Amino acid sequence: MSDTDSAADSAPDTTASSPLLTRLPDVRDGLTDLYRDLHKNPELSFAETRTAGIVAERLRKLGLRVTTGVGRTGVVGVLANGDGPHVLLRADFDALPVTEQTGLPYASTADGVMHACGHDMHVTCLLGALDLLADGRAHWSGTITAVFQPAEEIGQGARAMVDDGLFDRFGTPDVVLGQHVGPFPAGTVGCHPGPALAAADALAVTMYGKGAHGSRPEAAIDPVVMAASTVMRLQTVVSREISGGDTAVVTVGALNAGTKDNIIPDTAELRLNIRTYTDGVRARVLEAVKRIVRAEAEASGATRSPDIDPITTFPVLVNDEAAVRRTVTAFRGHFGAERVFDPGPVTGSEDCGIFGTASGAPVCYWFFGGTAPASYRKAVAAGTADRDIPSNHSPHFAPVVEPTLSTGVEAMTTAALTWLSSGKR
């Protein structure tokens, strides 16, 4: 057994977080105000300047050593408290190009931009945990590096921070810890060992035809029909080329062509999103997609091959099994076993794992619920959970503030203390 395995399997002190969490009621109102402010003022990837400024100011007030502009708009705060393990705590803070439809009094004021994935909650919970940890230094020792990451939604933020010397400048962590709010009952925490979130490949496809008047289709090579045929054929990739024991998702999220009803355009554009868990399945799906796109263009008589360009790529997020055992044991000790669950592999994607692969540190990444428990139970009982519970990236996605916020603060604090050395009691 390696030293890492031995340390990860050691029994954590599940009461370590209790003295710190007694302050949570005192800071909860301020955190609620912060969350609503961040939700009201979302910023897109690599444009999170206001958010970064708020984060940096709060970290300085907590006594952390703060560095801004890491990976363009990222913020890093370091809290050193004697000898002990080095723990990286991560939150992302970019929003999405979504028009909010929640009707909340603190709904987004930015036109066409919304925190539809809950990153505002992630920031608030990490700042809350850091407040408790900074005030409770007597109960732990070691070093905390708090990473507030930009541009997760486009899969570039973690890599940008690593490429900007994150580990050279702030040291290599012993573990990477992160969390994500999701459409589970608020007050619960879910963590899956092994491949936990899927790899994602987004592609931009441009198909070339020949424009003409809508009344003379014989003079055209219609890219709209070409694109429509491609969309339908792509539905066979998963159903006919991937084993039933493997997992893959192929989604065409956008099809854009033409400007007027009586004009056959020259081009059509598709935006594809592919999710997989293994390198073999990923390679097979990508090859099938490219083959189908090119074959449909040729079948339509296109005189130019389509362009297939990558947009974003996320690697599989693999949760270290020993790290999950250690952290989940602490969660069960704090929350109770009935509030801790295994969500299984999630087909969503995350670039938090890059911090682990780039540093060589184990990763433990978990979910915490954001749906009102009564609403969740009602939808599950009716068999309408997929329809009635807004998921991440929906214009209706809005975590209930409580107990979501408190659970996220408690989970991050508990996880951090599980890995840090015990201090004076």
Side-chain angles (χ1 to χ4, degrees):
M1 179 180 292
S2 68
D3 291 341
T4 300
D5 289 340
S6 178
D9 285 332
S10 62
D13 181 355
T14 56
T15 65
S17 58
S18 300
L20 278 69
L21 290 173
T22 57
R23 284 191 60 245
L24 181 53
D26 299 331
V27 302
R28 188 182 288 123
D29 287 346
L31 292 175
T32 297
D33 291 342
L34 171 63
Y35 167 70
R36 289 173 174 163
D37 177 73
L38 294 175
H39 189 86
K40 192 174 182 179
N41 297 280
E43 297 171 299
L44 293 174
S45 302
F46 286 133
E48 314 95 329
T49 53
R50 180 183 185 274
T51 306
I54 291 171
V55 168
E57 180 183 6
R58 285 182 172 254
L59 293 178
R60 291 188 185 100
K61 288 181 178 179
L62 293 176
L64 277 72
R65 175 167 57 87
V66 179
T67 305
T68 59
V70 182
R72 293 172 62 175
T73 48
V75 180
V76 176
V78 177
L79 181 60
N81 188 35
D83 295 333
H86 181 177
V87 176
L88 188 154
L89 308 180
R90 179 267 198 175
D92 43 8
F93 57 27
D94 55 329
L96 284 159
V98 173
T99 298
E100 183 161 356
Q101 298 178 37
T102 63
L104 290 167
Y106 53 89
S108 171
T109 58
D111 187 27
V113 182
M114 176 193 175
H115 268 300
C117 202
H119 296 185
D120 46 351
M121 183 64 74
H122 304 168
V123 170
T124 306
C125 290
L126 179 50
L127 286 171
L130 291 169
D131 191 333
L132 302 183
L133 289 160
D135 186 70
R137 288 179 179 88
H139 298 282
W140 61 272
S141 62
T143 298
I144 296 171
T145 295
V147 174
F148 292 84
Q149 179 208 308
E152 185 278 333
E153 294 293 356
I154 60 174
Q156 298 179 24
R159 175 54 57 191
M161 296 189 82
V162 170
D163 290 346
D164 200 15
L166 177 68
F167 300 121
D168 292 334
R169 296 162 68 180
F170 304 102
T172 301
D174 295 303
V175 67
V176 173
L177 303 175
Q179 62 182 358
H180 204 301
V181 66
F184 308 109
T188 63
V189 177
C191 190
H192 178 73
L197 287 100
D201 292 278
L203 303 175
V205 174
T206 303
M207 308 193 80
Y208 296 96
K210 178 184 176 184
H213 197 286
S215 66
R216 298 191 66 228
E218 75 279 6
I221 300 173
D222 194 335
V224 178
V225 174
M226 191 188 310
S229 298
T230 301
V231 171
M232 296 307 297
R233 176 67 67 177
L234 287 172
Q235 307 312 305
T236 68
V237 173
V238 174
S239 65
R240 288 297 175 267
E241 300 195 39
I242 301 302
S243 166
D246 292 321
T247 299
V249 177
V250 176
T251 296
V252 180
L255 195 168
N256 299 298
T259 58
K260 198 173 185 295
D261 61 287
N262 65 345
I263 300 173
I264 296 173
D266 287 320
T267 63
E269 296 181 353
L270 305 176
R271 295 287 177 119
L272 281 70
N273 193 274
I274 299 164
R275 308 285 172 138
T276 56
Y277 288 104
T278 67
D279 290 341
V281 173
R282 177 177 179 266
R284 187 166 185 175
V285 171
L286 285 170
E287 179 55 36
V289 166
K290 293 174 183 178
R291 185 190 72 239
I292 287 170
V293 169
R294 291 166 180 151
E296 289 292 345
E298 184 176 356
S300 298
T303 58
R304 177 178 171 182
S305 295
D307 294 333
I308 305 174
D309 300 311
I311 303 172
T312 59
T313 298
F314 290 81
V316 177
L317 189 149
V318 180
N319 265 338
D320 181 83
E321 295 192 6
V324 168
R325 283 195 298 273
R326 179 172 181 169
T327 307
V328 168
T329 297
F331 286 161
R332 289 176 179 147
H334 175 73
F335 293 109
E338 70 282 357
R339 291 173 59 188
V340 181
F341 68 102
D342 184 341
V346 175
T347 50
S349 301
E350 249 287 351
D351 66 355
C352 181
I354 289 174
F355 294 123
T357 54
S359 66
V363 175
C364 183
Y365 191 87
W366 63 89
F367 288 91
F368 61 110
T371 303
S375 298
Y376 187 89
R377 288 193 297 269
K378 181 179 178 181
V380 170
T384 59
D386 288 341
R387 184 176 72 236
D388 292 344
I389 298 175
S391 187
N392 303 70
H393 291 216
S394 163
H396 302 283
F397 182 72
V400 293
V401 177
E402 287 296 345
T404 306
L405 194 157
S406 292
T407 302
V409 173
E410 292 174 31
M412 186 62 82
T413 305
T414 299
L417 289 170
T418 300
W419 289 88
L420 294 161
S421 296
S422 299
K424 294 180 291 184
R425 300 292 172 85

